Amino acid sequence: MKAPAASGQAPSWLTSSSGLANTPNPAAAVPARPQPWPTPQDYNEALQNLALNCADADLRGGTPELTPLGLPRAITGGFASVYRVRCGGRDWAVRCFLRDVPDQATRYAAIGRHLADAHLPNTIGFDFLPTGVRVRGQWYPILKMEWVAGETLDCWIARQLAEPAALRRLADRWLALLGALRRAGIAHGDLQHGNVLVAGDEPRLIDYDGMFVPTLVGRRGAEAGQRNYQHPRRSEADFGPHLDHFSGWVIYLSLLALSVEPALWQRCGGGDEALLLRRADFDQPATSTILAALNALPDRQLQALLPRFRSLLDQDVANLPPVDDVVARLTSPRVPTLIHRPTAVRLAAATSAASWLPDHLDRPPPVALAVNPRGERWALAGLTTFALVLVALTIGGLFAPLTSGLALAALGFLTLVALLTRYLSLPATRRKLRATAASQRAALRLRWAEYALTTSEWRAAQHAATAEHASVALASARKECTAHERAALAALDQRGEHFAAQRAALDDAEAAALDEALQALRHRLLAGALAMHSVAAADIPGVGARTKLRLLQAGVRTAGDIVTLRAAPTGDSIEIVTPDRGALVLPGIGRKKADSLGAWRRALETEAGISLPGALPPADVAALRQRYEVRRRALARQEIRSASQEARQRAAIERRYHAEQQALVARGTATRDRAKQRRQASAAAVQRHTERVAAARLRLALAQRDRATYAAVTFGRYLRLVLGLA
């Protein structure tokens, strides 16, 4: 599990004694899963909607850290993917597992209880959530840990190579961590650079998948650990408090060696899945160039530990001694002793060690002020005698006091100048002046080198920020280009939908026209049938000749002349609606006669309706369909022309946006290439200036060391020697 890195708050230990968080539906904690275990892409999709797919109350209201493409940023290893989720003022590391471990919940419950009781400051609190995240409608477990501010061990070492003292301090703290774990009966099981965070110069452990605690005795290991940190004989059958002994040795020796010779990091490929040592060095120690390089380092403690480490490779995993216990028994000095060489040290050859050598330079013997003051003493004696004679003559009145005072002052000044000139001509004084000037020049060069290093680091940071901004801008431009292409193609698709709507409208209109034509035909046939029944000849109950005469006079001759008929509310007249003359009012005809006329009319209509056709004649149907077929063909021609135009436009749109995407891809490639070149140039510049700073520090240390040897060479001491006071 790669390092979480943020927050910086103290660990919040387990929320329950079992180490398991409460879930909304414990009964559904780990249901049967016929589908494959989720992939990192599945978790990416699920974590885009935490409110829907997370059961934990904190995580439901959180927001995952995103990549420039807007996807959750994942740190994926062989066992899990880790996401950073911001929840208000607190950040969490959400660990989503990539494979199923049958006893996972039991292991984490035991680990959580033991860590809560141990209260180790180098471990991180966590909650194991059986119902953690929902993927494809199924719940899967997650590990919710506090997000810790820090960087992985390899990144921290790469940044601290110029500070050997910091590497030594971390090596000491590493021994303290190993001892605390051992006393608590805990073994991490996979100590390696990716599982060790350095936060505030303190190592902290993450990723507890393979951890051993006493309550797990008798089980097999969940993993065998990173091979470049594990004993060649280790397997998953090895599971006990001894698991960290070998990896503890590997990390401690690497820190110790780098504090003596930081250049090993580059020479041995440090940071590439290892610190210094690798599995090949464990399998073939006799031919290992790295072990040979460690054996050549001038550090007595390292030389005392290396033979013990080589002997570990032939022992069983369970019998390995812990490195903190071995170091505690060593009595050799911790700081390497270097043989002093005078100023003939070759700076060019020492540049590779320039970052660590100043802290370990031994002091050369001090230079004493060697001078024979016999001549100076005879001269001072003569000058003193002359001064006494002059004073006596002045008292005797031969010389004026002012004249004699001026003469004595001039004599004293000339004496002081002569002594100072003599002091400056001494070989030791000349060497001191040269050492002082060299120290001042070295200090000035160091200031300029540090300024150049700071400038190169600032430029490297600016280049990195510019590259990140360009990457985000290009990703946004590609998304915008894709959105525009989809919008343009959607507009073309709407044209096809328009023609489909027109075809459907024609079909509906044709069906309505056929129905309307059928109804018109039935109406005509019904009207013709009713017109064949004369009112005068009809036998209508209650309607006599007089009423028929009045109907004939009003123009109502047949049943076809009656569309509707109703009696007036007063009951003394009727209203007849005719096909051609509208409504007629006939007074003097009562309700009963109106009802008889209406019944007669309806009976005739019912009789005629039996023989009315249920469909149009084929010729009429063909003629009607022909009219709509003409309109369909015209619509089809329009659609063909539109489809051809749409195809051309679609091809043009695709060509246009494909060209834009290709241009953006080419621009992105060029931008990445430029960023890579700038990054390499910046890294080379930083490395070059770092080496110059280290060399300048070495020169200054050597110059200050040489200058310090002349601390006893002073004008005051020279005067005391001349006067016989020293």
Side-chain angles (χ1 to χ4, degrees), residues 328-689:
R329 294 196 299 267
L330 288 177
T331 57
S332 58
R334 294 292 305 276
V335 179
T337 300
L338 300 181
I339 299 175
H340 168 64
R341 294 173 183 157
T343 44
V345 175
R346 297 180 58 190
L347 294 178
T351 301
S352 64
S355 62
W356 61 272
L357 188 57
D359 293 333
H360 305 300
L361 287 173
D362 57 338
R363 297 289 182 183
V367 175
L369 184 61
V371 61
N372 185 2
R374 181 180 301 175
E376 288 89 337
R377 289 174 180 173
W378 279 106
L380 284 176
L383 291 173
T384 303
T385 302
F386 177 77
L388 291 174
V389 171
L390 184 61
V391 170
L393 293 175
T394 302
I395 295 174
L398 295 178
F399 288 101
L402 178 61
T403 302
S404 62
L406 291 175
L408 289 173
L411 182 62
F413 176 74
L414 291 175
T415 302
L416 183 62
V417 170
L419 290 173
L420 181 60
T421 302
R422 170 61 177 159
Y423 168 74
L424 292 177
S425 67
L426 296 174
T429 304
R430 291 197 298 269
R431 289 196 298 270
K432 178 180 180 179
L433 292 176
R434 286 196 296 270
T436 301
S439 176
Q440 293 172 347
R441 289 194 300 270
L444 181 61
R445 289 172 182 170
L446 176 59
R447 285 196 292 272
W448 276 110
E450 289 175 339
Y451 172 76
L453 175 59
T454 302
T455 302
S456 63
E457 290 175 340
W458 178 81
R459 287 175 179 168
Q462 290 293 104
H463 290 159
T466 301
E468 180 69 17
H469 178 74
S471 176
V472 173
L474 281 172
S476 176
R478 293 194 65 179
K479 290 176 64 177
E480 185 177 356
C481 180
T482 301
H484 288 168
E485 181 181 11
R486 289 175 179 173
L489 294 176
L492 292 179
D493 293 337
Q494 288 180 355
R495 294 185 184 180
E497 296 174 359
H498 172 70
F499 282 105
Q502 285 189 316
R503 287 194 301 271
L506 278 177
D507 292 340
D508 293 341
E510 183 183 41
L514 288 171
D515 184 68
E516 183 179 353
L518 175 61
Q519 297 303 323
L521 175 62
R522 288 170 62 88
H523 184 269
R524 290 196 304 272
L525 293 176
L526 178 62
L530 293 177
M532 296 175 61
H533 296 277
S534 171
V535 173
D539 183 12
I540 304 172
V543 178
R546 184 180 296 177
T547 302
K548 292 179 180 179
L549 179 60
R550 295 187 62 184
L551 290 171
L552 291 174
Q553 290 174 347
V556 180
R557 294 180 176 81
T558 66
D561 294 329
I562 302 173
V563 178
T564 59
L565 181 150
R566 64 177 181 175
T570 57
D572 58 353
S573 62
I574 62 174
E575 183 182 44
I576 298 176
V577 178
T578 62
D580 50 359
R581 287 182 295 172
L584 301 175
V585 178
L586 301 178
I589 301 177
R591 185 180 301 276
K592 290 184 179 180
K593 294 179 180 180
D595 292 341
S596 296
L597 280 171
W600 172 68
R601 168 68 168 73
R602 287 192 297 275
L604 292 177
E605 183 177 1
T606 301
E607 181 181 354
I610 296 173
S611 59
L612 292 177
L616 285 174
D620 293 345
V621 172
L624 192 60
R625 290 189 184 278
Q626 181 64 29
R627 290 200 302 272
Y628 281 93
E629 186 61 29
V630 171
R631 295 171 63 180
R632 284 193 180 90
R633 285 196 293 269
L635 182 62
R637 288 192 296 271
Q638 293 179 14
E639 187 173 8
I640 292 172
R641 288 194 298 270
S642 178
S644 177
Q645 182 182 7
E646 178 185 340
R648 291 193 299 272
Q649 291 177 348
R650 185 180 295 274
I653 289 172
E654 290 176 349
R655 284 195 303 272
R656 171 189 169 186
Y657 286 104
H658 178 72
E660 289 187 14
Q661 290 282 10
Q662 290 298 319
L664 288 173
V665 170
R667 187 170 135 203
T669 302
T671 301
R672 285 192 296 273
D673 291 342
R674 285 196 303 271
K676 181 179 179 180
Q677 293 173 358
R678 289 177 178 175
R679 187 166 59 251
Q680 292 174 345
S682 299
V686 169
Q687 179 65 24
R688 185 170 61 254
H689 289 298

Side-chain angles (χ1 to χ4, degrees), residues 2 8 71 109 157 197-198 241 258 268 362 386 416 435 483-484 496 606 669:
K2 282 291 181 186
L71 298 175
I157 289 175
L197 291 182
V198 182
L258 289 170
C268 300
D362 57 338
F386 177 77
L416 183 62
H484 288 168
T606 301
T669 302

Side-chain angles (χ1 to χ4, degrees), residues 299-311:
D299 186 279
R300 284 196 292 237
Q301 180 176 341
L302 191 60
Q303 298 312 312
L305 290 174
L306 281 174
R308 290 176 171 84
F309 177 73
R310 288 176 181 270
S311 68

